[in-house]
Amino acid sequence: MSPTKSSSKVASSHGGKRQGAGRKRGSGSFGEETKVVRIPASRVPEVKQWLMQLTQNHPPLSLPLYGHKIAAGFPSPADDYVEGQLDLNEHLIPHKEATFFLRVSGDSMINVGIQCGDLLVVDRSIEPKNNKIVIAALDGELTVKRLSMKKGKTFLVPENDNFSAIEVKDEQDMVIWGVVTSVIHQFEKL
Amino acid sequence: MGCRDLGHSSIRKAMSVYALIDGNSFYASCEAVFNPSLWDRPVVVLSNNDGCVVAANAKAKAIGPISFKPFYQVEKTLKQHNAAIFSSNYELYADMSARMHTLVGRYSPEQEIYSIDESFLNFTGMNWNLTEYAHDLKSTVKRAIGIPVAVGIGHSKTLAKAANHLAKKHEDCQGVLDLSSMTEADVNRLLASMDVSNVWGVGRKLTPRLQALGINTAYDLKRMDRNWARTNFSVVLQTTVDELNGIERIQFDEVIANKQQIISSRSFGSLVTDLASMQKAVATYTARAALKLRKQQTQCMQLGVMITTNTFKDNSQQYSNWKTVNLNYPSNNTNELIHIAKQALQSIFKEGFKYKKAMVVLGDIQENTPIQTDLFNPQHRDTGKDKKLMTLFDSINRRMGSGSVQFAAEGIKGIGTNKQNWQMKRERLSPRATTRWAELIEVS
């Protein structure tokens, strides 16, 4: 009787792997299956930090503002200690140097929720691609429109049924000034 | 014209290599970023009180010799050519400058900010194609902030400056020239095309003296005997001759001052992680800059603090930020300025980073005016006679109404409550589009 056979026999009758036991695959903080690897001891902090960044970049994961869970009973004195503050700049502005704010006038983009008086966050370092909302410099003015490139033609498309698309002809020199990454609409002016 | 990379990078060996990066007609370029209607027009910017033309874009320079001319002399000509004319918008320029320096600083572990629109990078030991590298820098800055820059590279700072000058002059360089990768003969040919008056360190006084000796070009100066230069001219000229020969001689002052701004900065010997040490450093730099301000009998209206980690390294977490504070009235008072600098630092400092450098920039500099001299005579403060000053301070407030005079530190929160009293003529000011919510550019 080979040892393999013996162990498989034991496994099938006493203990061992049970169906559905343990943590679900991919249920960890990475959202996928994980694997054990060997890395040099000196590089552990680096790798950990890198992994941490990975998980932080995962959009559905929100960071806890306080370390404590909300629980009934006595409040912990540690609750006053804020471990981290959420910073809107961090959230909205990955490229500080290349980011500018512009103010919207008019309602040519109303269908995508860009209203008169709103604040636009514009990142100039992002590549302007088809369908992005962009700031374009056209005939000496800055304008916000959707960039549309079809069959070798370039259009600046307003998001308002009362406006028609502008076809950018060669003689007009149109320059994409930046890409709109967010619109900030305040219900209450503070 | 010698702007090709000749692939002599192996010759570089251990020699130093520096790059000088500057913004083309910086002030005029800043005005144009937010205003596309200026892109094909002449643009000029005027000095304080709208006195002189201090910046002009290429189209404006093409009109004729207008730079540094009093405005009233050239106003008619400029208007005939449909030129756009602006007062100095220091807030806008300071903010765009901080953005530019931050972007540029990513291209080297060592950056020396020389003025509002110029900085040196140390490229020593970077044995890759520096022309391509510089083009990458140039297009990154252009894309991120819309400012065109030129890059000059050479074996000394003087050569880097010269290369920068040549890069702008020769169109086929497209704003980048690397002298360090060229043969000596090619470098000489280029230097021979450069007027000696354009060499860094050769001033207006020196030029005619050199020309009288038949030294007309940068190449002529390069060939001058260094000992002869010292005996017949000065140590300074000897330094320039050495530098043109690729021998590095110019070290940087920790405090760089000119009429537009005073920069006080230093890279830390060891990385700084805590706010207290950072505050000490920033206070020291502020004190040095303030001293310089008083020495040249000027005051500033603006103070900026910039902090950065070693952004060139990309294997650790990076952070850099800046804060510019506009004072409610001009000051050259060390205590006040330190106070403001510390507050500015506090607003941008983040825990958990290893900081490599801090910088204090005093901007919007103006001459002392009589009433201000009375109030802020450096002697009052430097001898510690704060009491006397405070008495004076209070008596003015009593006579002219409370709040006539305030400490600038109080002014950080408010925007120019009391400003008009001190403000000068700035009739053609463009919106402060990057620093004031109320002045954002509108798009429809």
Side-chain angles (χ1 to χ4, degrees):
Chain A
M1 204 187 265
S2 75
T4 325
K5 263 188 185 167
S6 151
S7 65
S8 77
K9 197 181 174 187
V10 171
S12 63
S13 54
H14 308 282
K17 193 175 166 189
R18 280 170 293 123
Q19 207 67 55
R23 263 211 264 183
K24 298 276 175 298
R25 287 193 167 181
S27 67
S29 53
F30 300 104
E32 59 179 273
E33 212 176 315
T34 55
K35 209 179 160 185
V36 178
V37 289
R38 289 192 171 275
I39 48 171
S42 66
R43 311 306 282 275
V44 169
E46 261 173 72
V47 174
K48 273 195 174 165
Q49 195 181 23
W50 181 75
L51 286 172
M52 199 86 101
Q53 278 175 352
L54 267 189
T55 58
Q56 282 172 6
N57 287 339
H58 248 269
L61 268 177
S62 57
L63 284 171
L65 189 56
Y66 294 94
H68 264 260
K69 281 184 182 160
I70 300 160
F74 291 108
S76 159
D79 273 348
D80 283 340
Y81 177 71
V82 179
E83 287 191 347
Q85 282 181 322
L86 297 179
D87 183 354
L88 261 182
N89 284 327
E90 233 168 67
H91 182 65
L92 297 176
I93 306 172
H95 310 115
K96 179 174 156 67
E97 292 78 23
T99 300
F100 297 90
F101 300 128
L102 299 179
R103 181 79 66 190
V104 179
S105 78
D107 55 1
S108 72
M109 296 297 282
I110 198 89
N111 290 353
V112 286
I114 297 177
Q115 300 180 34
C116 192
D118 283 357
L119 198 67
L120 298 177
V121 181
V122 181
D123 190 332
R124 289 179 52 105
S125 66
I126 293 177
E127 200 186 331
K129 286 182 184 158
N130 187 30
N131 266 333
K132 296 236 182 201
I133 309 275
V134 298
I135 300 296
L138 184 71
D139 296 329
E141 276 180 38
L142 293 180
T143 180
V144 54
K145 295 286 175 290
R146 188 184 291 284
L147 179 66
S148 171
M149 292 181 282
K150 277 183 205 159
K151 296 170 191 163
K153 287 182 178 175
T154 303
F155 297 90
L156 291 174
V157 186
E159 292 284 349
N160 182 328
D161 303 338
N162 300 323
F163 291 69
S164 44
I166 307 158
E167 187 183 341
V168 180
K169 307 219 171 66
D170 295 341
E171 66 266 25
Q172 291 172 302
D173 33 350
M174 192 271 286
V175 173
I176 300 297
W177 194 89
V179 173
V180 178
T181 54
S182 309
V183 53
I184 297 170
H185 179 81
Q186 281 176 287
F187 295 102
E188 305 272 348
K189 297 279 179 230
L190 303 172
Chain B
M1 179 78 229
C3 290
R4 295 157 289 140
D5 187 85
L6 296 170
H8 288 273
S9 50
S10 57
I11 297 169
R12 254 183 248 136
K13 284 176 200 155
M15 277 181 95
S16 297
V17 181
Y18 286 98
L20 177 78
I21 296 93
D22 73 346
N24 301 353
S25 329
F26 184 69
Y27 291 180
S29 295
C30 289
E31 295 292 348
V33 169
F34 302 93
N35 190 347
S37 73
L38 301 176
W39 292 357
D40 48 15
R41 278 176 73 186
V43 178
V44 300
V45 176
L46 306 177
S47 63
N48 285 345
N49 288 317
D50 293 352
C52 293
V53 174
V54 285
N57 69 357
K59 282 216 162 60
K61 281 175 187 154
I63 294 171
I66 52 162
S67 293
F68 303 107
K69 288 271 170 70
F71 178 50
Y72 70 88
Q73 283 182 13
V74 293
E75 186 173 4
K76 218 175 142 190
T77 320
L78 288 172
K79 283 182 174 162
Q80 278 167 0
H81 287 84
N82 188 31
I85 300 154
F86 292 97
S87 304
S88 289
N89 188 342
Y90 288 109
E91 272 187 55
L92 176 69
Y93 309 151
D95 185 69
M96 295 301 279
S97 164
R99 289 169 188 254
M100 182 173 84
H101 288 321
T102 309
L103 290 162
V104 168
R106 301 219 175 109
Y107 283 79
S108 165
E110 214 180 294
Q111 179 186 28
E112 283 158 343
I113 291 169
Y114 185 65
S115 75
I116 193 159
D117 68 334
E118 295 170 283
S119 70
F120 285 97
L121 292 182
N122 193 342
F123 278 179
T124 307
M126 297 187 182
N127 51 359
W128 51 80
N129 186 326
L130 292 178
T131 302
E132 273 174 24
Y133 193 56
H135 273 295
D136 183 66
L137 182 160
K138 187 179 156 64
S139 60
T140 298
V141 175
K142 173 74 189 172
R143 186 157 159 188
I145 59 170
I147 301 283
V149 298
V151 186
I153 302 166
H155 282 306
S156 65
K157 283 165 186 153
T158 305
L159 281 172
K161 263 264 197 193
N164 179 286
H165 176 84
L166 291 161
K168 279 186 257 189
K169 224 173 81 178
H170 297 290
E171 242 170 55
D172 55 340
C173 292
Q174 296 178 296
V176 172
L177 178 64
D178 177 13
L179 293 176
S180 78
S181 68
M182 289 181 180
T183 61
E184 192 75 12
D186 281 338
V187 172
N188 289 344
R189 233 190 322 276
L190 280 163
L191 291 180
S193 75
M194 182 174 161
D195 207 283
V196 74
S197 64
N198 291 319
V199 174
W200 197 31
V202 176
R204 245 172 275 166
K205 270 190 202 163
L206 210 52
T207 306
R209 283 179 66 197
L210 289 168
Q211 283 167 340
L213 291 162
I215 295 160
N216 296 306
T217 70
Y219 177 59
D220 294 338
L221 186 58
K222 178 183 172 181
R223 284 175 54 209
M224 186 188 274
D225 181 87
R226 65 185 303 275
N227 294 321
W228 193 86
R230 182 173 186 156
T231 328
N232 293 277
F233 284 89
S234 62
V235 185
V236 180
L237 193 70
Q238 185 187 41
T239 301
T240 305
V241 171
D242 281 349
E243 286 249 322
L244 283 173
N245 282 285
I247 301 157
E248 193 195 342
R249 291 283 306 278
I250 294 178
Q251 302 298 320
F252 268 82
D253 281 345
E254 281 157 16
V255 182
I256 298 163
N258 62 30
K259 280 180 186 155
Q260 287 163 347
Q261 56 180 179
I262 293 171
I263 300 169
S264 180
S265 77
R266 207 171 162 186
S267 295
F268 305 131
S270 56
L271 298 174
V272 170
T273 53
D274 62 310
L275 181 60
S277 312
M278 200 65 136
Q279 278 178 331
K280 256 187 231 166
V282 164
T284 312
Y285 304 159
T286 308
R288 273 199 235 135
L291 186 66
K292 188 83 195 176
L293 206 52
R294 291 194 298 272
K295 269 192 188 160
Q296 60 186 32
Q297 301 197 312
T298 53
Q299 310 178 84
C300 69
M301 280 286 278
Q302 194 179 66
L303 182 150
V305 175
M306 196 168 163
I307 54 173
T308 180
T309 57
N310 188 357
T311 49
F312 184 66
K313 272 192 187 171
D314 44 21
N315 57 352
S316 57
Q317 285 219 310
Q318 302 305 335
Y319 176 72
S320 68
N321 208 343
W322 68 90
K323 171 82 183 173
T324 308
V325 178
N326 296 287
L327 281 60
N328 279 338
Y329 61 88
S331 172
N332 57 19
N333 179 292
T334 302
N335 280 336
E336 282 173 7
L337 294 174
I338 286 178
H339 186 68
I340 296 164
K342 279 187 171 173
Q343 287 197 19
L345 173 66
Q346 204 131 29
S347 72
I348 54 173
F349 184 85
K350 273 193 183 182
E351 296 281 350
F353 292 97
K354 292 172 182 161
Y355 292 93
K356 198 199 170 207
K357 190 171 183 169
M359 181 166 84
V360 173
V361 182
L362 304 182
D364 199 346
I365 291 172
Q366 42 195 267
E367 307 281 306
N368 284 348
T369 56
I371 179 172
Q372 292 155 8
T373 316
D374 283 348
L375 247 182
F376 302 113
N377 189 324
Q379 283 157 6
H380 285 304
R381 289 311 188 84
D382 285 352
T383 49
K385 291 178 185 166
D386 269 354
K387 237 184 191 168
K388 192 175 161 192
L389 178 92
M390 284 311 294
T391 316
L392 186 61
F393 195 86
D394 292 343
S395 78
I396 285 181
N397 272 346
R398 261 201 307 279
R399 228 172 341 131
M400 297 167 70
S402 173
S404 294
V405 191
Q406 318 176 307
F407 274 112
E410 299 167 27
I412 284 182
K413 46 187 187 292
I415 298 169
T417 39
N418 230 359
K419 208 165 178 178
Q420 60 275 26
N421 301 342
W422 310 96
Q423 211 160 36
M424 51 191 145
K425 195 175 148 197
R426 279 176 189 171
E427 286 173 350
R428 301 154 191 277
L429 199 63
S430 56
R432 293 165 288 186
T434 62
T435 50
R436 304 278 168 139
W437 291 114
E439 296 180 28
L440 296 184
I441 303 297
E442 290 198 346
V443 284
S444 57

